[in-house]
Amino acid sequence: MDINDSKLNIKEFLDKDEQKDLLRFLTAGSVDDGKSTLIGRLLFDSKKIYEDQLDALERDSKRCGNAGEHIDYALLLDGLKAEREQGITIDVAYRYFSTNNRKFIIADTPGHEQYTRNMITGGSTANAAIILVDARTGVITQTRRHTYLISLLGIKHLVLAVNKMDLVDFDKAVFDKIVADFDEFVKPLGIPDVTCIPLSALDGDNVVEKSDRTPWYDGKCLLDYLETVPIDLDRNYEDFRYPVQYVLRPNLDFRGFCGKVASGVVRVGDTVMALPSRKTSKVKSIVTYEGEIKEAFPPLCVTITLEDEIDISRGEMIVHPDNLPIEDRNFEAMLVWMDEEPMDRDKQFYIKQTTNTTRARIDSIKYKVDVNTMQQSQVERLQLNEIGRVVFTTGKELLFDPYARNKQTGSFILIDPITNNTSAVGMIIGAVDAKDMSGDDALATLSLSSLGIDKSHAAAVQTLCDALKRRGIVIKIID
């Protein structure tokens, strides 16, 4: 073969590989349901394991495996010493592989309730989820818990993988009973795409290829499903949201606003509005590393230039003027507590939402959700791994959408101001009227009369407070 032809073939291969879309998915399930084994089998059967990895896997299987005479594929993912000794998953294990049709990033998440925060972390960027159940035990409490967490994260594609079908002789009646039980539970959660697959991770049935031992199953095998599940329309292309991350000013002739398109589509010539100033302009150009483009959509990182000089800085947002986000200081959200230290209601946290950071106070906890039973209860604070519906007041107005409509602008994290730990992650439900807030206003107040400041100076004081507000410090002026 001519060396130039060889180079061309390599270039064509790399170009084709670059154009593949990426599917992120997580696996979840109870202890010993076979999550790690399933992913290990998926990697093994799709020929994505190198020879030295396979040799090490065979040695480790004999030394510390839990699969008898079989190769213990779970060891491909259970990398911690404690995981191998106990035969459980503790940390989130990420694995990358690709096929001819798609690239994949797998998050193997732990099943234990005490590692709920690890599952939330692994699922925060996932497009799809695989929940494993043991064919012998069916739908159990942990299955319901994981399904609820997946619905909370807004994951639209869910696979119920009924594993260990070989231990029930591939009985169709057993599979149908599990599917019926799961359907009854999952319907109220509103997950749009649910698929059920019978399989045996240890033997490879219906993992990469359809199995002859399930002639009654006419659906896709797991890999075929993962290669074809449509995720292109999962993003929000209707509401243009562009949180500004950085202002680029390399010379006198260029001033652009850098960031990642969170949702929606923007085109050159579009009329846009900067929030919170509400000043409008038109898009002059959209610049990328490769050059200028005519339109941008998620998840592209671009630099937008405008026809008019508008003062915009980090934390502000560019939108279409006829499609605005909610702009409010008060909102309620589903909160997952991630910190070892219990919630302190008197502490003012930092809240980071899109590129915006400000102070936040927990106004009230409406209820805590028992993730095992879905029951709601009244509590004073949340502990590690607990989930509740919480009302917040922030130091300045945030620009957000409900999480169910727009993940990128509806999610946030709480940061402990003392330890700098991520205390919690949240999914915004919507705004709350100030009159419905249970706590007193926690803003700093400035009383002109008590300080002996004449009302004629009120305008100057207000100007100063407005300048502080732009820096995230909100002060309320009273007579």
Side-chain angles (χ1 to χ4, degrees):
M1 180 184 291
D2 187 271
I3 191 167
N4 291 325
D5 291 340
S6 177
K7 288 181 179 178
L8 186 62
N9 290 337
I10 293 172
K11 185 177 184 305
E12 288 175 353
F13 170 79
L14 293 175
D15 289 343
K16 184 179 178 181
D17 189 67
E18 186 72 25
Q19 292 169 3
K20 293 178 188 175
D21 66 343
L22 173 67
L23 174 73
R24 298 173 182 266
F25 69 93
L26 69 86
T27 57
S30 182
V31 180
D32 294 331
D33 278 347
K35 299 182 299 298
S36 301
T37 303
L38 174 64
I39 297 173
R41 170 61 81 170
L42 197 62
L43 295 171
F44 179 79
D45 284 358
S46 57
K47 306 294 188 289
K48 300 303 173 185
I49 301 176
Y50 296 113
E51 287 185 9
D52 58 335
Q53 288 178 303
L54 186 58
D55 291 341
L57 180 63
E58 289 174 346
R59 289 196 306 271
D60 290 344
S61 296
K62 294 174 181 176
R63 182 170 55 86
C64 58
N66 296 297
E69 296 299 318
H70 293 78
I71 293 177
D72 190 355
Y73 299 103
L75 297 177
L76 282 170
L77 288 102
D78 291 341
L80 298 178
K81 184 179 179 182
E83 291 179 322
R84 293 191 169 202
E85 288 175 349
Q86 299 177 52
I88 62 171
T89 300
I90 297 174
D91 196 12
V92 181
Y94 293 96
R95 287 294 180 271
Y96 168 86
F97 78 104
S98 66
T99 64
N100 292 333
N101 301 315
R102 186 173 260 173
K103 298 176 184 177
F104 302 93
I105 295 178
I106 313 166
D108 184 26
T109 63
H112 292 256
E113 185 176 356
Q114 71 190 83
Y115 302 122
T116 296
R117 62 175 175 178
N118 300 45
M119 181 180 171
I120 293 290
T121 302
S124 60
T125 57
N127 308 107
I130 301 173
I131 292 185
L132 275 83
V133 297
D134 191 322
R136 298 168 299 175
T137 57
V139 177
I140 59 175
T141 300
Q142 282 169 306
T143 310
R144 297 186 179 92
R145 172 163 56 88
H146 295 144
T147 307
Y148 171 72
L149 292 174
I150 284 164
S151 70
L152 189 69
L153 289 167
I155 297 173
K156 293 181 169 60
H157 308 282
L158 172 62
V159 176
L160 181 71
V162 184
N163 193 23
K164 304 187 180 181
M165 287 294 294
D166 52 311
L167 301 181
V168 295
D169 298 323
F170 293 92
D171 189 340
K172 181 178 183 295
V174 172
F175 177 73
D176 290 343
K177 173 69 168 57
I178 294 172
V179 171
D181 290 344
F182 188 73
D183 281 346
E184 184 180 349
F185 171 76
V186 79
K187 276 181 182 177
L189 298 178
I191 300 174
D193 176 25
V194 179
T195 303
C196 302
I197 302 175
L199 52 84
S200 168
L202 195 61
D203 295 334
D205 295 273
N206 290 330
V207 177
V208 172
E209 295 179 353
K210 288 289 292 293
S211 172
D212 295 333
R213 297 198 281 184
T214 55
W216 42 266
Y217 172 68
D218 56 3
K220 297 178 178 179
C221 66
L222 182 61
L223 182 61
D224 193 13
Y225 171 87
L226 294 173
E227 283 188 318
T228 57
V229 59
I231 58 171
D232 295 340
L233 299 179
D234 289 351
R235 291 184 180 274
N236 182 329
Y237 292 103
E238 298 176 13
D239 310 316
F240 173 56
R241 306 286 185 261
Y242 185 75
V244 175
Q245 187 169 1
Y246 180 74
V247 181
L248 185 63
R249 184 79 171 180
N251 55 57
L252 293 174
D253 301 321
F254 188 93
R255 183 167 180 264
F257 306 103
C258 307
K260 182 177 182 178
V261 182
S263 62
V265 180
V266 63
R267 297 176 177 85
V268 173
D270 280 3
T271 299
V272 293
M273 176 183 285
L275 296 176
S277 69
R278 294 185 173 265
K279 295 186 181 296
T280 59
S281 182
K282 288 191 174 181
V283 177
K284 182 179 179 181
S285 64
I286 303 173
V287 185
T288 69
Y289 178 77
E290 287 81 15
E292 293 191 13
I293 56 178
K294 293 295 182 183
E295 65 177 14
F297 44 84
L300 290 180
C301 295
V302 298
T303 298
I304 293 177
T305 66
L306 303 178
E307 292 183 357
D308 304 291
E309 290 288 340
I310 298 178
D311 182 16
I312 305 175
S313 57
R314 177 181 171 85
E316 299 182 9
M317 188 178 287
I318 299 174
V319 300
H320 285 140
D322 58 347
N323 185 335
L324 303 180
I326 301 169
E327 193 172 351
D328 211 319
R329 289 180 50 235
N330 304 320
F331 62 89
E332 58 181 335
M334 296 303 296
L335 195 71
V336 183
W337 197 254
M338 310 275 280
D339 204 338
E340 301 278 353
E341 183 180 325
M343 176 191 289
D344 182 355
R345 294 277 299 276
D346 297 325
K347 186 181 289 185
Q348 281 204 8
F349 296 88
Y350 285 113
I351 184 170
K352 181 168 175 55
Q353 181 256 346
T354 62
T355 57
N356 205 347
T357 304
T358 186
R359 290 278 189 172
R361 184 200 66 202
I362 296 167
D363 183 80
S364 64
I365 301 175
K366 288 197 168 182
Y367 55 78
K368 185 191 86 169
V369 179
D370 187 324
V371 292
N372 293 322
T373 63
M374 304 301 121
Q375 290 183 336
Q376 300 171 3
S377 59
Q378 299 296 320
V379 294
E380 285 299 314
R381 57 178 48 85
L382 295 178
Q383 309 274 351
L384 176 64
N385 292 319
E386 291 184 341
I387 299 172
R389 185 164 177 161
V390 180
V391 180
F392 286 93
T393 298
T394 56
K396 65 177 179 179
E397 291 183 334
L398 297 183
L399 306 163
F400 61 85
D401 299 285
Y403 183 82
R405 180 173 179 85
N406 196 332
K407 281 188 179 184
Q408 279 64 38
T409 59
S411 56
F412 64 89
I413 61 171
L414 284 186
I415 302 169
D416 189 301
I418 299 171
T419 64
N420 216 32
N421 290 337
T422 299
S423 296
V425 298
M427 288 70 76
I428 297 174
I429 298 169
V432 180
D433 288 339
K435 61 181 176 60
D436 296 327
M437 304 294 286
S438 62
D440 295 328
D441 199 313
L443 290 180
T445 57
L446 183 65
S447 174
L448 300 182
S449 57
S450 64
L451 292 173
I453 300 174
D454 191 84
K455 289 185 179 180
S456 61
H457 300 298
V461 175
Q462 185 63 56
T463 301
L464 174 62
C465 291
D466 289 343
L468 290 171
K469 182 179 178 180
R470 287 194 291 271
R471 294 179 175 272
I473 305 169
V474 181
I475 299 176
K476 184 177 181 180
I477 300 175
I478 59 176
D479 291 335

